[in-house]
Amino acid sequence: MKEMLKKWGLFSLIFLFTMGIVAGCGTQEKTAQDEKAQKTVENVEGENANQEFPITIIDSADREVTIDEEPESIVSIQASNTEIAFALGLGEKIIGVSDYDNYPSEALEIQKVGAQDINAELVLSLLPDLALVTDYHYNTHPEILKQFEDAGIDVIVVGSASSFEDAYEHIEMIGKATGTATEANEIVTNMKQRFDEIKEKASAITDKKKVWVEVSPAPDIFTTGTNTFMHEMLEAIQAINAAEEHEGWVQLTEEEIVQLNPDVIITTYGYYIDNPTEEVYGREGWSEVPAVKNKQVFDVDNDTVTRPGPRLIEGVETLAKLIYPEVFNK
């Protein structure tokens, strides 16, 4: 009722304002002002619709979840969901995060409530309106999620993501569940525009470089094959993933990697290994690898190339500038 009164009051104000102009103008002006007033009303109603509850969504577990009121407190038990929530402007509503949440810096000051293993007792003591959990939690801790729901906590399952489209869907779903659908749409639109600009710029590249990606250091070196963010990013900038014959995250030996002869090597573990590029340059038997010989080994922020959230677009922009500086640093 309150929302209806707000809308009616705003409509009345716009209507009276329009009538005042009409009284002193001709027929042509009247038509123009009427159209403008109507557009204003539509815009206001569109903005208010972003906040209308109850709202029903289908989450990643294919469950129909109805949220009766806009959440005022949120627990996010996944770093990517926390990033998304902060980007949507929900930072002040977040009262619990996972043990591994590290971005933005404000998340470091929020109560930790577990990771793969949820501290259910702590979450229940916080009694948030909404809990953002993962498909792992849904598959392994269904009894805990039921406890949350029995306590009146709305539970949204946000599944795994391996593509930009997955990330877009998650941003939009969380936006809809929290009354920030407009903000979610703006974030996704911006990401898509920037991604399209990168692809357009890269379309002129004909001499494609082969790129080897390391997501863990020696001796157990893992890389990312197809169906990963890194593979999609490399394809977008017209680079060749040296591990394109493999799917997902896979382990290769140093001998196998050297034989691939990559032009560029990207490491993503500089946050826990000192001087990762120097470690690669110093490997025995790697001196003739083009990337090593030409000093084309770079470390990038792991979270921006593997974590499904708004910063993925920063990751692909960084890769583009490192791999093809002559194209993307202009």
Side-chain angles (χ1 to χ4, degrees), residues 74-97 101 103-104 107 110 130 132 170-171 174-175 178 180 183-184 187 308-310:
I74 301 169
V75 162
S76 171
I77 319 177
Q78 176 79 344
S80 55
N81 297 338
T82 300
E83 282 202 28
I84 291 171
F86 267 95
L88 292 171
L90 299 168
E92 293 184 357
K93 293 186 176 183
I94 302 176
I95 59 175
V97 297
D101 285 17
Y103 187 90
I110 300 174
L130 177 68
L132 299 173
H170 291 177
I171 293 169
I174 294 173
T178 57
T180 56
E183 290 82 353
I187 291 172

PDB file of all heavy atoms in Angstrom, residues 74-97 101 103-104 107 110 130 132 170-171 174-175 178 180 183-184 187 308-310:
ATOM      1  N   ILE A  74      22.449 -10.201   5.000  1.00  0.00           N
ATOM      2  CA  ILE A  74      22.854 -11.261   4.071  1.00  0.00           C
ATOM      3  C   ILE A  74      24.104 -11.969   4.585  1.00  0.00           C
ATOM      4  O   ILE A  74      25.039 -11.323   5.075  1.00  0.00           O
ATOM      5  CB  ILE A  74      23.147 -10.672   2.671  1.00  0.00           C
ATOM      6  CG1 ILE A  74      21.917  -9.954   2.113  1.00  0.00           C
ATOM      7  CG2 ILE A  74      23.624 -11.753   1.709  1.00  0.00           C
ATOM      8  CD1 ILE A  74      22.210  -9.123   0.878  1.00  0.00           C
ATOM      9  N   VAL A  75      24.116 -13.291   4.449  1.00  0.00           N
ATOM     10  CA  VAL A  75      25.328 -14.080   4.665  1.00  0.00           C
ATOM     11  C   VAL A  75      25.719 -14.671   3.313  1.00  0.00           C
ATOM     12  O   VAL A  75      24.893 -15.273   2.636  1.00  0.00           O
ATOM     13  CB  VAL A  75      25.100 -15.202   5.693  1.00  0.00           C
ATOM     14  CG1 VAL A  75      26.195 -16.251   5.587  1.00  0.00           C
ATOM     15  CG2 VAL A  75      25.069 -14.636   7.103  1.00  0.00           C
ATOM     16  N   SER A  76      26.981 -14.475   2.926  1.00  0.00           N
ATOM     17  CA  SER A  76      27.482 -14.972   1.644  1.00  0.00           C
ATOM     18  C   SER A  76      28.639 -15.927   1.896  1.00  0.00           C
ATOM     19  O   SER A  76      29.689 -15.509   2.384  1.00  0.00           O
ATOM     20  CB  SER A  76      27.944 -13.807   0.762  1.00  0.00           C
ATOM     21  OG  SER A  76      28.616 -14.279  -0.383  1.00  0.00           O
ATOM     22  N   ILE A  77      28.429 -17.219   1.567  1.00  0.00           N
ATOM     23  CA  ILE A  77      29.443 -18.217   1.906  1.00  0.00           C
ATOM     24  C   ILE A  77      30.190 -18.648   0.652  1.00  0.00           C
ATOM     25  O   ILE A  77      30.374 -19.839   0.366  1.00  0.00           O
ATOM     26  CB  ILE A  77      28.786 -19.405   2.629  1.00  0.00           C
ATOM     27  CG1 ILE A  77      27.741 -18.905   3.632  1.00  0.00           C
ATOM     28  CG2 ILE A  77      29.846 -20.229   3.370  1.00  0.00           C
ATOM     29  CD1 ILE A  77      26.978 -19.992   4.345  1.00  0.00           C
ATOM     30  N   GLN A  78      30.607 -17.664  -0.129  1.00  0.00           N
ATOM     31  CA  GLN A  78      31.411 -17.893  -1.342  1.00  0.00           C
ATOM     32  C   GLN A  78      31.992 -16.557  -1.760  1.00  0.00           C
ATOM     33  O   GLN A  78      31.281 -15.553  -1.838  1.00  0.00           O
ATOM     34  CB  GLN A  78      30.564 -18.476  -2.465  1.00  0.00           C
ATOM     35  CG  GLN A  78      31.273 -18.664  -3.788  1.00  0.00           C
ATOM     36  CD  GLN A  78      32.144 -19.922  -3.819  1.00  0.00           C
ATOM     37  OE1 GLN A  78      32.447 -20.497  -2.782  1.00  0.00           O
ATOM     38  NE2 GLN A  78      32.532 -20.364  -4.996  1.00  0.00           N
ATOM     39  N   ALA A  79      33.303 -16.530  -2.023  1.00  0.00           N
ATOM     40  CA  ALA A  79      33.981 -15.266  -2.335  1.00  0.00           C
ATOM     41  C   ALA A  79      33.385 -14.557  -3.542  1.00  0.00           C
ATOM     42  O   ALA A  79      33.235 -13.325  -3.539  1.00  0.00           O
ATOM     43  CB  ALA A  79      35.464 -15.525  -2.559  1.00  0.00           C
ATOM     44  N   SER A  80      33.037 -15.299  -4.581  1.00  0.00           N
ATOM     45  CA  SER A  80      32.495 -14.664  -5.783  1.00  0.00           C
ATOM     46  C   SER A  80      31.145 -14.011  -5.497  1.00  0.00           C
ATOM     47  O   SER A  80      30.868 -12.901  -5.978  1.00  0.00           O
ATOM     48  CB  SER A  80      32.346 -15.688  -6.908  1.00  0.00           C
ATOM     49  OG  SER A  80      31.569 -16.790  -6.489  1.00  0.00           O
ATOM     50  N   ASN A  81      30.305 -14.669  -4.705  1.00  0.00           N
ATOM     51  CA  ASN A  81      29.007 -14.088  -4.378  1.00  0.00           C
ATOM     52  C   ASN A  81      29.147 -12.836  -3.534  1.00  0.00           C
ATOM     53  O   ASN A  81      28.367 -11.884  -3.673  1.00  0.00           O
ATOM     54  CB  ASN A  81      28.142 -15.119  -3.638  1.00  0.00           C
ATOM     55  CG  ASN A  81      27.827 -16.330  -4.493  1.00  0.00           C
ATOM     56  OD1 ASN A  81      27.874 -16.263  -5.711  1.00  0.00           O
ATOM     57  ND2 ASN A  81      27.538 -17.448  -3.848  1.00  0.00           N
ATOM     58  N   THR A  82      30.153 -12.834  -2.663  1.00  0.00           N
ATOM     59  CA  THR A  82      30.414 -11.646  -1.841  1.00  0.00           C
ATOM     60  C   THR A  82      30.839 -10.479  -2.720  1.00  0.00           C
ATOM     61  O   THR A  82      30.378  -9.347  -2.534  1.00  0.00           O
ATOM     62  CB  THR A  82      31.496 -11.947  -0.793  1.00  0.00           C
ATOM     63  OG1 THR A  82      31.051 -13.019   0.042  1.00  0.00           O
ATOM     64  CG2 THR A  82      31.777 -10.724   0.068  1.00  0.00           C
ATOM     65  N   GLU A  83      31.727 -10.743  -3.678  1.00  0.00           N
ATOM     66  CA  GLU A  83      32.143  -9.685  -4.607  1.00  0.00           C
ATOM     67  C   GLU A  83      30.948  -9.122  -5.360  1.00  0.00           C
ATOM     68  O   GLU A  83      30.812  -7.913  -5.542  1.00  0.00           O
ATOM     69  CB  GLU A  83      33.181 -10.223  -5.596  1.00  0.00           C
ATOM     70  CG  GLU A  83      34.566 -10.346  -5.024  1.00  0.00           C
ATOM     71  CD  GLU A  83      35.636 -10.363  -6.113  1.00  0.00           C
ATOM     72  OE1 GLU A  83      35.397  -9.764  -7.189  1.00  0.00           O
ATOM     73  OE2 GLU A  83      36.700 -10.948  -5.880  1.00  0.00           O
ATOM     74  N   ILE A  84      30.092 -10.014  -5.829  1.00  0.00           N
ATOM     75  CA  ILE A  84      28.913  -9.584  -6.574  1.00  0.00           C
ATOM     76  C   ILE A  84      28.019  -8.720  -5.687  1.00  0.00           C
ATOM     77  O   ILE A  84      27.557  -7.651  -6.097  1.00  0.00           O
ATOM     78  CB  ILE A  84      28.127 -10.801  -7.101  1.00  0.00           C
ATOM     79  CG1 ILE A  84      28.924 -11.513  -8.192  1.00  0.00           C
ATOM     80  CG2 ILE A  84      26.752 -10.372  -7.637  1.00  0.00           C
ATOM     81  CD1 ILE A  84      28.339 -12.847  -8.618  1.00  0.00           C
ATOM     82  N   ALA A  85      27.796  -9.172  -4.453  1.00  0.00           N
ATOM     83  CA  ALA A  85      26.924  -8.426  -3.545  1.00  0.00           C
ATOM     84  C   ALA A  85      27.471  -7.031  -3.265  1.00  0.00           C
ATOM     85  O   ALA A  85      26.718  -6.044  -3.249  1.00  0.00           O
ATOM     86  CB  ALA A  85      26.751  -9.207  -2.241  1.00  0.00           C
ATOM     87  N   PHE A  86      28.770  -6.924  -3.067  1.00  0.00           N
ATOM     88  CA  PHE A  86      29.368  -5.602  -2.835  1.00  0.00           C
ATOM     89  C   PHE A  86      29.223  -4.729  -4.077  1.00  0.00           C
ATOM     90  O   PHE A  86      28.925  -3.544  -3.980  1.00  0.00           O
ATOM     91  CB  PHE A  86      30.838  -5.731  -2.439  1.00  0.00           C
ATOM     92  CG  PHE A  86      31.077  -5.785  -0.962  1.00  0.00           C
ATOM     93  CD1 PHE A  86      31.196  -7.002  -0.307  1.00  0.00           C
ATOM     94  CD2 PHE A  86      31.172  -4.623  -0.220  1.00  0.00           C
ATOM     95  CE1 PHE A  86      31.405  -7.071   1.054  1.00  0.00           C
ATOM     96  CE2 PHE A  86      31.389  -4.659   1.154  1.00  0.00           C
ATOM     97  CZ  PHE A  86      31.505  -5.892   1.798  1.00  0.00           C
ATOM     98  N   ALA A  87      29.440  -5.314  -5.253  1.00  0.00           N
ATOM     99  CA  ALA A  87      29.308  -4.544  -6.498  1.00  0.00           C
ATOM    100  C   ALA A  87      27.887  -4.049  -6.693  1.00  0.00           C
ATOM    101  O   ALA A  87      27.666  -3.000  -7.312  1.00  0.00           O
ATOM    102  CB  ALA A  87      29.729  -5.411  -7.688  1.00  0.00           C
ATOM    103  N   LEU A  88      26.927  -4.774  -6.149  1.00  0.00           N
ATOM    104  CA  LEU A  88      25.518  -4.374  -6.251  1.00  0.00           C
ATOM    105  C   LEU A  88      25.152  -3.318  -5.208  1.00  0.00           C
ATOM    106  O   LEU A  88      24.002  -2.882  -5.152  1.00  0.00           O
ATOM    107  CB  LEU A  88      24.614  -5.599  -6.062  1.00  0.00           C
ATOM    108  CG  LEU A  88      24.661  -6.644  -7.174  1.00  0.00           C
ATOM    109  CD1 LEU A  88      23.906  -7.905  -6.771  1.00  0.00           C
ATOM    110  CD2 LEU A  88      24.087  -6.075  -8.469  1.00  0.00           C
ATOM    111  N   GLY A  89      26.113  -2.928  -4.371  1.00  0.00           N
ATOM    112  CA  GLY A  89      25.849  -1.904  -3.361  1.00  0.00           C
ATOM    113  C   GLY A  89      25.268  -2.452  -2.075  1.00  0.00           C
ATOM    114  O   GLY A  89      24.657  -1.705  -1.297  1.00  0.00           O
ATOM    115  N   LEU A  90      25.486  -3.750  -1.806  1.00  0.00           N
ATOM    116  CA  LEU A  90      24.875  -4.394  -0.646  1.00  0.00           C
ATOM    117  C   LEU A  90      25.842  -4.569   0.522  1.00  0.00           C
ATOM    118  O   LEU A  90      25.540  -5.293   1.472  1.00  0.00           O
ATOM    119  CB  LEU A  90      24.332  -5.767  -1.062  1.00  0.00           C
ATOM    120  CG  LEU A  90      23.252  -5.759  -2.153  1.00  0.00           C
ATOM    121  CD1 LEU A  90      23.033  -7.178  -2.680  1.00  0.00           C
ATOM    122  CD2 LEU A  90      21.961  -5.171  -1.614  1.00  0.00           C
ATOM    123  N   GLY A  91      26.991  -3.925   0.453  1.00  0.00           N
ATOM    124  CA  GLY A  91      28.024  -4.122   1.457  1.00  0.00           C
ATOM    125  C   GLY A  91      27.557  -3.962   2.892  1.00  0.00           C
ATOM    126  O   GLY A  91      27.911  -4.758   3.766  1.00  0.00           O
ATOM    127  N   GLU A  92      26.741  -2.959   3.151  1.00  0.00           N
ATOM    128  CA  GLU A  92      26.301  -2.694   4.522  1.00  0.00           C
ATOM    129  C   GLU A  92      25.323  -3.746   5.028  1.00  0.00           C
ATOM    130  O   GLU A  92      25.088  -3.837   6.239  1.00  0.00           O
ATOM    131  CB  GLU A  92      25.664  -1.303   4.604  1.00  0.00           C
ATOM    132  CG  GLU A  92      26.652  -0.173   4.376  1.00  0.00           C
ATOM    133  CD  GLU A  92      26.024   1.190   4.560  1.00  0.00           C
ATOM    134  OE1 GLU A  92      24.799   1.248   4.801  1.00  0.00           O
ATOM    135  OE2 GLU A  92      26.759   2.202   4.474  1.00  0.00           O
ATOM    136  N   LYS A  93      24.767  -4.541   4.117  1.00  0.00           N
ATOM    137  CA  LYS A  93      23.813  -5.575   4.523  1.00  0.00           C
ATOM    138  C   LYS A  93      24.476  -6.920   4.799  1.00  0.00           C
ATOM    139  O   LYS A  93      23.853  -7.820   5.346  1.00  0.00           O
ATOM    140  CB  LYS A  93      22.752  -5.763   3.436  1.00  0.00           C
ATOM    141  CG  LYS A  93      21.835  -4.559   3.244  1.00  0.00           C
ATOM    142  CD  LYS A  93      20.721  -4.880   2.254  1.00  0.00           C
ATOM    143  CE  LYS A  93      19.746  -3.726   2.123  1.00  0.00           C
ATOM    144  NZ  LYS A  93      18.615  -4.062   1.224  1.00  0.00           N
ATOM    145  N   ILE A  94      25.739  -7.058   4.410  1.00  0.00           N
ATOM    146  CA  ILE A  94      26.430  -8.342   4.559  1.00  0.00           C
ATOM    147  C   ILE A  94      26.962  -8.486   5.987  1.00  0.00           C
ATOM    148  O   ILE A  94      27.787  -7.690   6.434  1.00  0.00           O
ATOM    149  CB  ILE A  94      27.575  -8.469   3.545  1.00  0.00           C
ATOM    150  CG1 ILE A  94      27.037  -8.332   2.118  1.00  0.00           C
ATOM    151  CG2 ILE A  94      28.286  -9.810   3.714  1.00  0.00           C
ATOM    152  CD1 ILE A  94      28.093  -8.341   1.055  1.00  0.00           C
ATOM    153  N   ILE A  95      26.479  -9.514   6.692  1.00  0.00           N
ATOM    154  CA  ILE A  95      26.865  -9.704   8.093  1.00  0.00           C
ATOM    155  C   ILE A  95      27.684 -10.981   8.296  1.00  0.00           C
ATOM    156  O   ILE A  95      28.140 -11.240   9.401  1.00  0.00           O
ATOM    157  CB  ILE A  95      25.624  -9.726   9.008  1.00  0.00           C
ATOM    158  CG1 ILE A  95      24.670 -10.856   8.593  1.00  0.00           C
ATOM    159  CG2 ILE A  95      24.914  -8.388   8.994  1.00  0.00           C
ATOM    160  CD1 ILE A  95      23.472 -11.021   9.531  1.00  0.00           C
ATOM    161  N   GLY A  96      27.876 -11.758   7.221  1.00  0.00           N
ATOM    162  CA  GLY A  96      28.692 -12.956   7.318  1.00  0.00           C
ATOM    163  C   GLY A  96      29.254 -13.334   5.964  1.00  0.00           C
ATOM    164  O   GLY A  96      28.562 -13.209   4.953  1.00  0.00           O
ATOM    165  N   VAL A  97      30.530 -13.763   5.946  1.00  0.00           N
ATOM    166  CA  VAL A  97      31.181 -14.131   4.683  1.00  0.00           C
ATOM    167  C   VAL A  97      31.977 -15.415   4.889  1.00  0.00           C
ATOM    168  O   VAL A  97      32.171 -15.873   6.020  1.00  0.00           O
ATOM    169  CB  VAL A  97      32.119 -13.014   4.174  1.00  0.00           C
ATOM    170  CG1 VAL A  97      31.348 -11.755   3.854  1.00  0.00           C
ATOM    171  CG2 VAL A  97      33.222 -12.719   5.199  1.00  0.00           C
ATOM    172  N   ASP A 101      37.035 -15.088   1.828  1.00  0.00           N
ATOM    173  CA  ASP A 101      36.676 -13.822   1.177  1.00  0.00           C
ATOM    174  C   ASP A 101      37.776 -12.790   1.402  1.00  0.00           C
ATOM    175  O   ASP A 101      38.178 -12.553   2.541  1.00  0.00           O
ATOM    176  CB  ASP A 101      35.352 -13.294   1.711  1.00  0.00           C
ATOM    177  CG  ASP A 101      34.165 -14.060   1.166  1.00  0.00           C
ATOM    178  OD1 ASP A 101      34.381 -15.169   0.658  1.00  0.00           O
ATOM    179  OD2 ASP A 101      33.035 -13.555   1.246  1.00  0.00           O
ATOM    180  N   TYR A 103      37.958  -9.838  -0.990  1.00  0.00           N
ATOM    181  CA  TYR A 103      37.702  -8.648  -1.802  1.00  0.00           C
ATOM    182  C   TYR A 103      36.224  -8.316  -1.768  1.00  0.00           C
ATOM    183  O   TYR A 103      35.401  -9.238  -1.854  1.00  0.00           O
ATOM    184  CB  TYR A 103      38.150  -8.878  -3.250  1.00  0.00           C
ATOM    185  CG  TYR A 103      38.078  -7.638  -4.112  1.00  0.00           C
ATOM    186  CD1 TYR A 103      39.170  -6.776  -4.216  1.00  0.00           C
ATOM    187  CD2 TYR A 103      36.910  -7.311  -4.801  1.00  0.00           C
ATOM    188  CE1 TYR A 103      39.096  -5.629  -5.000  1.00  0.00           C
ATOM    189  CE2 TYR A 103      36.842  -6.166  -5.570  1.00  0.00           C
ATOM    190  CZ  TYR A 103      37.937  -5.330  -5.665  1.00  0.00           C
ATOM    191  OH  TYR A 103      37.863  -4.194  -6.425  1.00  0.00           O
ATOM    192  N   PRO A 104      35.894  -7.001  -1.633  1.00  0.00           N
ATOM    193  CA  PRO A 104      36.809  -5.888  -1.380  1.00  0.00           C
ATOM    194  C   PRO A 104      37.372  -5.946   0.046  1.00  0.00           C
ATOM    195  O   PRO A 104      37.015  -6.847   0.810  1.00  0.00           O
ATOM    196  CB  PRO A 104      35.914  -4.663  -1.584  1.00  0.00           C
ATOM    197  CG  PRO A 104      34.552  -5.137  -1.223  1.00  0.00           C
ATOM    198  CD  PRO A 104      34.476  -6.566  -1.687  1.00  0.00           C
ATOM    199  N   ALA A 107      35.355  -6.737   3.169  1.00  0.00           N
ATOM    200  CA  ALA A 107      34.929  -8.105   3.469  1.00  0.00           C
ATOM    201  C   ALA A 107      35.819  -8.749   4.529  1.00  0.00           C
ATOM    202  O   ALA A 107      35.388  -9.666   5.230  1.00  0.00           O
ATOM    203  CB  ALA A 107      34.938  -8.945   2.190  1.00  0.00           C
ATOM    204  N   ILE A 110      34.375  -8.545   8.107  1.00  0.00           N
ATOM    205  CA  ILE A 110      33.063  -9.131   8.386  1.00  0.00           C
ATOM    206  C   ILE A 110      33.213 -10.520   8.999  1.00  0.00           C
ATOM    207  O   ILE A 110      34.173 -11.240   8.706  1.00  0.00           O
ATOM    208  CB  ILE A 110      32.229  -9.195   7.086  1.00  0.00           C
ATOM    209  CG1 ILE A 110      32.025  -7.779   6.522  1.00  0.00           C
ATOM    210  CG2 ILE A 110      30.868  -9.847   7.329  1.00  0.00           C
ATOM    211  CD1 ILE A 110      31.333  -7.748   5.175  1.00  0.00           C
ATOM    212  N   LEU A 130      18.838 -13.530   4.268  1.00  0.00           N
ATOM    213  CA  LEU A 130      19.189 -14.269   3.059  1.00  0.00           C
ATOM    214  C   LEU A 130      20.557 -14.915   3.206  1.00  0.00           C
ATOM    215  O   LEU A 130      21.496 -14.287   3.705  1.00  0.00           O
ATOM    216  CB  LEU A 130      19.190 -13.318   1.852  1.00  0.00           C
ATOM    217  CG  LEU A 130      19.612 -13.888   0.495  1.00  0.00           C
ATOM    218  CD1 LEU A 130      18.574 -14.885  -0.008  1.00  0.00           C
ATOM    219  CD2 LEU A 130      19.800 -12.762  -0.522  1.00  0.00           C
ATOM    220  N   LEU A 132      23.435 -16.793   0.782  1.00  0.00           N
ATOM    221  CA  LEU A 132      23.904 -17.155  -0.554  1.00  0.00           C
ATOM    222  C   LEU A 132      24.894 -18.295  -0.399  1.00  0.00           C
ATOM    223  O   LEU A 132      25.992 -18.115   0.153  1.00  0.00           O
ATOM    224  CB  LEU A 132      24.577 -15.948  -1.224  1.00  0.00           C
ATOM    225  CG  LEU A 132      23.690 -14.718  -1.433  1.00  0.00           C
ATOM    226  CD1 LEU A 132      24.524 -13.549  -1.954  1.00  0.00           C
ATOM    227  CD2 LEU A 132      22.550 -15.020  -2.388  1.00  0.00           C
ATOM    228  N   HIS A 170      24.571 -15.319 -12.750  1.00  0.00           N
ATOM    229  CA  HIS A 170      24.667 -15.273 -11.295  1.00  0.00           C
ATOM    230  C   HIS A 170      24.499 -13.849 -10.782  1.00  0.00           C
ATOM    231  O   HIS A 170      23.826 -13.623  -9.769  1.00  0.00           O
ATOM    232  CB  HIS A 170      26.007 -15.835 -10.836  1.00  0.00           C
ATOM    233  CG  HIS A 170      26.125 -17.313 -11.050  1.00  0.00           C
ATOM    234  ND1 HIS A 170      27.278 -18.022 -10.762  1.00  0.00           N
ATOM    235  CD2 HIS A 170      25.246 -18.232 -11.517  1.00  0.00           C
ATOM    236  CE1 HIS A 170      27.094 -19.298 -11.047  1.00  0.00           C
ATOM    237  NE2 HIS A 170      25.865 -19.446 -11.514  1.00  0.00           N
ATOM    238  N   ILE A 171      25.104 -12.898 -11.458  1.00  0.00           N
ATOM    239  CA  ILE A 171      24.963 -11.494 -11.064  1.00  0.00           C
ATOM    240  C   ILE A 171      23.502 -11.076 -11.130  1.00  0.00           C
ATOM    241  O   ILE A 171      22.964 -10.430 -10.216  1.00  0.00           O
ATOM    242  CB  ILE A 171      25.834 -10.590 -11.961  1.00  0.00           C
ATOM    243  CG1 ILE A 171      27.318 -10.861 -11.710  1.00  0.00           C
ATOM    244  CG2 ILE A 171      25.518  -9.104 -11.712  1.00  0.00           C
ATOM    245  CD1 ILE A 171      28.255 -10.226 -12.724  1.00  0.00           C
ATOM    246  N   ILE A 174      21.392 -12.852  -8.273  1.00  0.00           N
ATOM    247  CA  ILE A 174      21.602 -12.244  -6.960  1.00  0.00           C
ATOM    248  C   ILE A 174      20.969 -10.853  -6.921  1.00  0.00           C
ATOM    249  O   ILE A 174      20.380 -10.453  -5.911  1.00  0.00           O
ATOM    250  CB  ILE A 174      23.106 -12.185  -6.624  1.00  0.00           C
ATOM    251  CG1 ILE A 174      23.649 -13.610  -6.453  1.00  0.00           C
ATOM    252  CG2 ILE A 174      23.358 -11.371  -5.356  1.00  0.00           C
ATOM    253  CD1 ILE A 174      25.152 -13.697  -6.274  1.00  0.00           C
ATOM    254  N   GLY A 175      21.058 -10.129  -8.033  1.00  0.00           N
ATOM    255  CA  GLY A 175      20.429  -8.813  -8.097  1.00  0.00           C
ATOM    256  C   GLY A 175      18.927  -8.905  -7.912  1.00  0.00           C
ATOM    257  O   GLY A 175      18.325  -8.122  -7.159  1.00  0.00           O
ATOM    258  N   THR A 178      17.879  -9.707  -4.284  1.00  0.00           N
ATOM    259  CA  THR A 178      18.168  -8.682  -3.271  1.00  0.00           C
ATOM    260  C   THR A 178      17.541  -7.326  -3.580  1.00  0.00           C
ATOM    261  O   THR A 178      17.816  -6.347  -2.894  1.00  0.00           O
ATOM    262  CB  THR A 178      19.687  -8.496  -3.132  1.00  0.00           C
ATOM    263  OG1 THR A 178      20.241  -8.145  -4.416  1.00  0.00           O
ATOM    264  CG2 THR A 178      20.345  -9.763  -2.621  1.00  0.00           C
ATOM    265  N   THR A 180      18.071  -5.549  -6.298  1.00  0.00           N
ATOM    266  CA  THR A 180      19.032  -4.687  -7.012  1.00  0.00           C
ATOM    267  C   THR A 180      19.162  -5.130  -8.468  1.00  0.00           C
ATOM    268  O   THR A 180      20.263  -5.151  -9.023  1.00  0.00           O
ATOM    269  CB  THR A 180      20.416  -4.722  -6.314  1.00  0.00           C
ATOM    270  OG1 THR A 180      20.852  -6.084  -6.223  1.00  0.00           O
ATOM    271  CG2 THR A 180      20.357  -4.110  -4.932  1.00  0.00           C
ATOM    272  N   GLU A 183      20.794  -2.497 -10.771  1.00  0.00           N
ATOM    273  CA  GLU A 183      22.252  -2.435 -10.612  1.00  0.00           C
ATOM    274  C   GLU A 183      22.914  -3.630 -11.279  1.00  0.00           C
ATOM    275  O   GLU A 183      23.971  -3.502 -11.913  1.00  0.00           O
ATOM    276  CB  GLU A 183      22.611  -2.389  -9.131  1.00  0.00           C
ATOM    277  CG  GLU A 183      22.262  -1.092  -8.422  1.00  0.00           C
ATOM    278  CD  GLU A 183      20.806  -1.026  -7.987  1.00  0.00           C
ATOM    279  OE1 GLU A 183      20.012  -1.930  -8.351  1.00  0.00           O
ATOM    280  OE2 GLU A 183      20.461  -0.058  -7.281  1.00  0.00           O
ATOM    281  N   ALA A 184      22.297  -4.807 -11.149  1.00  0.00           N
ATOM    282  CA  ALA A 184      22.844  -6.019 -11.772  1.00  0.00           C
ATOM    283  C   ALA A 184      22.868  -5.873 -13.286  1.00  0.00           C
ATOM    284  O   ALA A 184      23.851  -6.229 -13.944  1.00  0.00           O
ATOM    285  CB  ALA A 184      22.014  -7.233 -11.369  1.00  0.00           C
ATOM    286  N   ILE A 187      25.739  -3.632 -14.333  1.00  0.00           N
ATOM    287  CA  ILE A 187      27.043  -4.310 -14.247  1.00  0.00           C
ATOM    288  C   ILE A 187      27.237  -5.243 -15.429  1.00  0.00           C
ATOM    289  O   ILE A 187      28.282  -5.237 -16.088  1.00  0.00           O
ATOM    290  CB  ILE A 187      27.150  -5.094 -12.923  1.00  0.00           C
ATOM    291  CG1 ILE A 187      27.237  -4.130 -11.742  1.00  0.00           C
ATOM    292  CG2 ILE A 187      28.373  -6.019 -12.947  1.00  0.00           C
ATOM    293  CD1 ILE A 187      27.140  -4.820 -10.388  1.00  0.00           C
ATOM    294  N   PRO A 308      34.160 -16.031 -10.681  1.00  0.00           N
ATOM    295  CA  PRO A 308      33.020 -15.547 -11.469  1.00  0.00           C
ATOM    296  C   PRO A 308      32.324 -14.344 -10.848  1.00  0.00           C
ATOM    297  O   PRO A 308      31.399 -14.484 -10.039  1.00  0.00           O
ATOM    298  CB  PRO A 308      32.087 -16.769 -11.512  1.00  0.00           C
ATOM    299  CG  PRO A 308      32.430 -17.546 -10.285  1.00  0.00           C
ATOM    300  CD  PRO A 308      33.900 -17.351 -10.068  1.00  0.00           C
ATOM    301  N   GLY A 309      32.790 -13.178 -11.237  1.00  0.00           N
ATOM    302  CA  GLY A 309      32.211 -11.948 -10.712  1.00  0.00           C
ATOM    303  C   GLY A 309      32.525 -10.781 -11.617  1.00  0.00           C
ATOM    304  O   GLY A 309      33.078 -10.947 -12.714  1.00  0.00           O
ATOM    305  N   PRO A 310      32.206  -9.568 -11.178  1.00  0.00           N
ATOM    306  CA  PRO A 310      32.394  -8.370 -12.003  1.00  0.00           C
ATOM    307  C   PRO A 310      33.829  -8.114 -12.450  1.00  0.00           C
ATOM    308  O   PRO A 310      34.057  -7.486 -13.479  1.00  0.00           O
ATOM    309  CB  PRO A 310      31.898  -7.240 -11.083  1.00  0.00           C
ATOM    310  CG  PRO A 310      30.944  -7.910 -10.147  1.00  0.00           C
ATOM    311  CD  PRO A 310      31.522  -9.274  -9.910  1.00  0.00           C
TER     312      PRO A 310
END
